[in-house]
Amino acid sequence: MRLSETERTFIRDTVRELFGPHARVRLFGSRTDDAARGGDIDLLIECPEPLPDRAARTHRLVARLQMRLGNQRIDALVIDPTTPATPIVRVAQHTGIAI
């Protein structure tokens, strides 16, 4: 996993602040490969309760992460029990690494 412990802690703390203490976060995509270089930060946020303001919270999450982690591309996929199981969701759930 190509994120430092400090970066992982900040991501976890920010996710819990915005989505609640039971939200889980996984890193998926190219940053899970230690041998690769570059790439954006792909995050899957799994929330146990429906989120009526999911889009607004997602935008706040990405903005806070970019301010703290620097000018990196960050993609956040936020799901809750009402989210359809799309192919990208299934891939992120299967290949993602909990952080």
Side-chain angles (χ1 to χ4, degrees), residues 30-56:
S30 62
R31 287 285 183 119
T32 61
D33 182 356
D34 290 334
R37 298 185 66 96
D40 58 350
I41 298 173
D42 296 309
L43 301 172
L44 172 67
I45 315 301
E46 298 173 290
C47 301
E49 312 247 339
L51 297 169
D53 59 345
R54 182 174 48 197

Side-chain angles (χ1 to χ4, degrees), residues 1-18 23 25 27 41 43 45 61 64-65 68-69 97-99:
M1 174 183 312
R2 290 182 294 122
L3 288 176
S4 70
E5 181 58 38
T6 302
E7 291 169 326
R8 290 192 302 262
T9 299
F10 180 74
I11 291 169
R12 276 192 309 267
D13 291 348
T14 306
V15 165
R16 289 182 182 137
E17 180 183 327
L18 291 171
V25 59
L27 178 71
I41 298 173
L43 301 172
I45 315 301
L61 171 69
R64 288 184 190 180
L65 295 178
R68 177 68 184 265
L69 302 177
I97 300 171
I99 60 172

Side-chain angles (χ1 to χ4, degrees), residues 69-85:
L69 302 177
N71 190 20
Q72 300 185 54
R73 182 170 169 168
I74 299 170
D75 294 324
L77 177 58
V78 179
I79 63 171
D80 66 21
T82 66
T83 306

